[in-house]
Amino acid sequence: MEYLPHLERVLAVYSEGANLEAVMEARTRFSDLAGRWSEDDPWHETWSRLFLDWFGFDVPVPPWKSPVHRFVSERWVELDAEGILPVFRGLLATHRSVFEVLGRSRGTLGLADLVGGGLFRVEQPYPVAGYQSGDVIDARIIPVLGTLTLGPGVICHPEGAVPLIHDLLGHLRSQGLLGWNVVHLLARMNLQHLQGPACGSRLGHAGQLALDMGEMLGHLAVIRPRRARRNQEQRG
């Protein structure tokens, strides 16, 4: 990944010294979003990649939007002199969402954004054989020197959960509740069930995740009429 050494450079600057306390606070906040993990957990590496992705791009560092924005703002002259400012401009324009894989061809993936809409074709620097048409993934798209690629934190949801993910997104959209936080919701459910006893196989993982999403949809079906009645009462 051509951008990855540059992202690691940003994280190295803001992960030590006076910034260490802020990093620890960010880890706690991320645990609330995606679930708590220890270094002994088998999926700790996945959790760590997702945290680094989130911390680098999504954690506000007032008055900057994120550590990446701060780094570029404070060092743009230095980065320009090094000839790598265009790469960092791409890091300022990333897009994270829930995507459906439309297909793959010659090392690229066609993706449809299931939250914000839009179609993308991304270059995948590592083999794309693991992705199939119809797969649903949580991922970040990063522009890199005129091309699009995927960020370091990618979660591929099991096949059995895909229809329920579509149903969940549809319900949230119909209620005006669909937002970018759904990425963390789905990631948390996926990660937690990867470590559960039902995950001895891909099918078991898919079944457990689907059951939880089914329960969530049932909960939404209950609160939806309640909310409609409350809104009607407020208008009346």
Side-chain angles (χ1 to χ4, degrees):
M1 295 185 186
E2 188 173 352
Y3 71 87
L4 194 53
H6 304 299
L7 177 58
E8 291 173 342
R9 178 178 172 182
V10 174
L11 298 175
V13 170
Y14 300 123
S15 300
E16 58 186 21
N19 300 295
L20 184 57
E21 183 176 350
V23 174
M24 299 308 296
E25 291 177 356
R27 286 179 64 89
T28 299
R29 183 182 170 197
F30 186 74
S31 294
D32 293 338
L33 291 169
R36 297 185 181 277
W37 292 76
S38 71
E39 294 184 0
D40 296 329
D41 289 317
W43 299 99
H44 180 262
E45 183 178 349
T46 299
W47 189 95
S48 297
R49 287 200 309 270
L50 292 169
F51 170 73
L52 292 177
D53 178 284
W54 177 77
F55 177 72
F57 293 110
D58 295 334
V59 175
V61 187
W64 301 279
K65 294 180 180 178
S66 68
V68 169
H69 282 79
R70 177 181 177 183
F71 188 88
V72 176
S73 176
E74 293 179 339
R75 293 171 170 79
W76 70 270
V77 174
E78 173 187 342
L79 298 174
D80 190 33
E82 294 179 29
I84 56 176
L85 185 58
V87 176
F88 279 89
R89 287 200 182 106
L91 296 182
L92 295 176
T94 71
H95 175 57
R96 185 169 186 86
S97 190
V98 181
F99 300 96
E100 180 177 0
V101 177
L102 301 178
R104 67 175 194 264
S105 175
R106 298 181 181 179
T108 66
L109 290 176
L111 301 176
D113 186 345
L114 298 181
V115 178
L119 302 176
F120 303 88
R121 182 165 295 280
V122 300
E123 291 189 0
Q124 190 67 345
Y126 42 89
V128 300
Y131 296 106
Q132 303 291 334
S133 296
D135 283 348
V136 171
I137 63 174
D138 298 345
R140 182 183 303 278
I141 294 177
I142 301 178
V144 182
L145 301 178
T147 64
L148 300 178
T149 188
L150 294 183
V154 179
I155 288 183
C156 185
H157 292 292
E159 181 180 356
V162 168
L164 284 164
I165 290 176
H166 282 286
D167 287 345
L168 174 61
L169 296 179
H171 275 272
L172 293 174
R173 181 177 287 109
S174 68
Q175 298 176 71
L177 298 175
L178 184 60
W180 305 116
N181 58 341
V182 72
V183 176
H184 299 300
L185 170 65
L186 295 176
R188 177 174 185 147
M189 295 174 73
N190 189 300
L191 286 171
Q192 287 181 336
H193 290 297
L194 282 173
Q195 67 176 344
C199 297
S201 68
R202 180 179 175 88
L203 183 60
H205 174 204
Q208 184 61 53
L209 190 58
L211 283 174
D212 276 6
M213 288 185 175
E215 290 178 2
M216 180 177 297
L217 287 172
H219 177 62
L220 288 174
V222 171
I223 67 173
R224 188 177 180 183
R226 289 177 181 172
R227 176 166 298 177
R229 287 196 302 270
R230 185 168 61 249
N231 292 340
Q232 186 175 6
E233 291 171 356
Q234 290 174 350
R235 287 194 299 268

